[in-house]
Amino acid sequence: MQIARKWIQILWIFLVNGFWGFPFTGNLYQGPLKIICSPGLNCYSCPAATTYCPIGSLQQLLLGIRFSLQTGKYYVGTFVIGWLGLLGTTFGRFICGWACPFGLFQEVLYKIPSKKYSIPPLLNWLKYGFFVFFVVVFPLIFLDQFGLGKPWFCKYVCPAGTLEAGIPMILLMPDLRTTIGFLYINKLVILIGFTIWSVLASRPFCRTVCPLGAFYALFNRFSLIQLQLDKDACTNCKACHKVCPVEIKFNETPGSGECINCMKCMTDACTFDAIYITVAGYKMIPAKKKPAVVPPQ
Amino acid sequence: MNDKQRKISSVLLGLFLLLWLIGIFLGEPTRVLEQAKSICLECIGIG
């Protein structure tokens, strides 16, 4: 199952970054597919991107909301929030575990042999702050002399944008190199920081900063597709705790907003059929189990 | 998923579908497409 998940993650990278003509056109994809929302965090300024980034688009709509309203347009973000909500209500954080390019980037880095560290659970709350303030509030309230806000998350934080767009666009468009300044260096430092952290800890960006993950986390208890626990079958052997990449104790907190639904606990740990998938409340057959590998205490 | 959760899921799906349709009605997709077609200089750390 985990091999299938890797292939699905790779497939999603190519689905949302399917324009490989950019070295010849010298520009990013500008076709009609960009009306489709990327489910995972994928910068729409990536030259190969074929979909729009919901976090980037939401900020762009909110920062220009006054201008839109003054010109009689009601671009308040309902289209983007609608997309996000439909994805969240259907899949919850399955998207993080199965369809996010930046999530896969961190998973690959974590495979590099090194001493591994856990992330204090308190830091998990930060991502909600990033969503509320950097994506919604700051673009709305901090305005320039023209009455326009800034895309705070994209501009000052997003390492996915630096990796997928910042570096490739600078390589693709030599003219842009002369404009590199503090902002670019700042974003490069953030990307390097998360790259190193991803080697040392599992999915640090998803767990502490990602505003998209924060939004989807709100739906983990109500999404149509869910990972569920059969409390009667659970023996509290804690095998699920040991394999979880986001360090949650699934049998104690099923439906946690932190769970990225990678299903490692179901397929690689639980031998008691205590963890299963439901689709709209209907139980799906659990995958065939491997024997639990529980290191001696 | 109990009945209460199923109801909440249905309400949320309906709500977000409505928001999505309102967005289309207001012409937001055109604006989103315009933005997505151009290079976001802020996103790449310039501008």
Side-chain angles (χ1 to χ4, degrees), chain A residues 33-62:
Chain A
L33 287 176
K34 274 203 164 164
I35 204 69
I36 298 168
C37 177
S38 165
L41 198 68
N42 192 73
C43 185
Y44 58 51
S45 289
C46 169
T50 41
T51 52
Y52 76 83
C53 170
I55 294 297
S57 288
L58 186 57
Q59 288 170 90
Q60 292 288 354
L61 289 168
L62 293 178

Side-chain angles (χ1 to χ4, degrees), chain A residues 188-253:
Chain A
L188 211 53
V189 168
I190 290 174
L191 173 64
I192 292 166
F194 274 107
T195 303
I196 295 167
W197 198 6
S198 300
V199 175
L200 302 172
S202 175
R203 283 185 173 245
F205 178 78
C206 309
R207 293 160 69 183
T208 62
V209 175
C210 184
L212 197 52
F215 186 83
Y216 290 145
L218 304 174
F219 297 91
N220 250 9
R221 273 180 209 281
F222 309 108
S223 57
L224 290 179
I225 305 176
Q226 287 189 17
L227 211 52
Q228 295 269 12
L229 177 76
D230 181 345
K231 283 181 180 161
D232 296 329
C234 178
T235 61
N236 198 25
C237 70
K238 297 186 172 63
C240 54
H241 301 192
K242 293 179 173 70
V243 296
C244 182
V246 288
E247 299 176 72
I248 60 164
K249 296 170 179 170
F250 185 82
N251 69 325
E252 292 171 16
T253 54

Side-chain angles (χ1 to χ4, degrees), chain A residues 144-157:
Chain A
D144 61 16
Q145 67 269 36
F146 306 109
L148 291 171
K150 289 175 187 167
W152 277 69
F153 187 77
C154 293
K155 186 166 184 170
Y156 298 112
V157 183

Side-chain angles (χ1 to χ4, degrees), chain A residues 27-30 34 44-46 60 169, chain B residues 31-41 43:
Chain A
N27 208 341
L28 73 179
Y29 171 73
Q30 296 181 314
K34 274 203 164 164
Y44 58 51
S45 289
C46 169
Q60 292 288 354
M169 290 310 279
Chain B
R31 180 76 189 110
V32 170
L33 193 59
E34 272 171 24
Q35 290 163 354
K37 277 180 175 180
S38 52
I39 301 168
C40 166
L41 291 175
C43 302

Side-chain angles (χ1 to χ4, degrees), chain A residues 14-25:
Chain A
F14 285 101
L15 279 175
V16 296
N17 295 295
F19 179 66
W20 290 92
F22 67 85
F24 309 105
T25 61

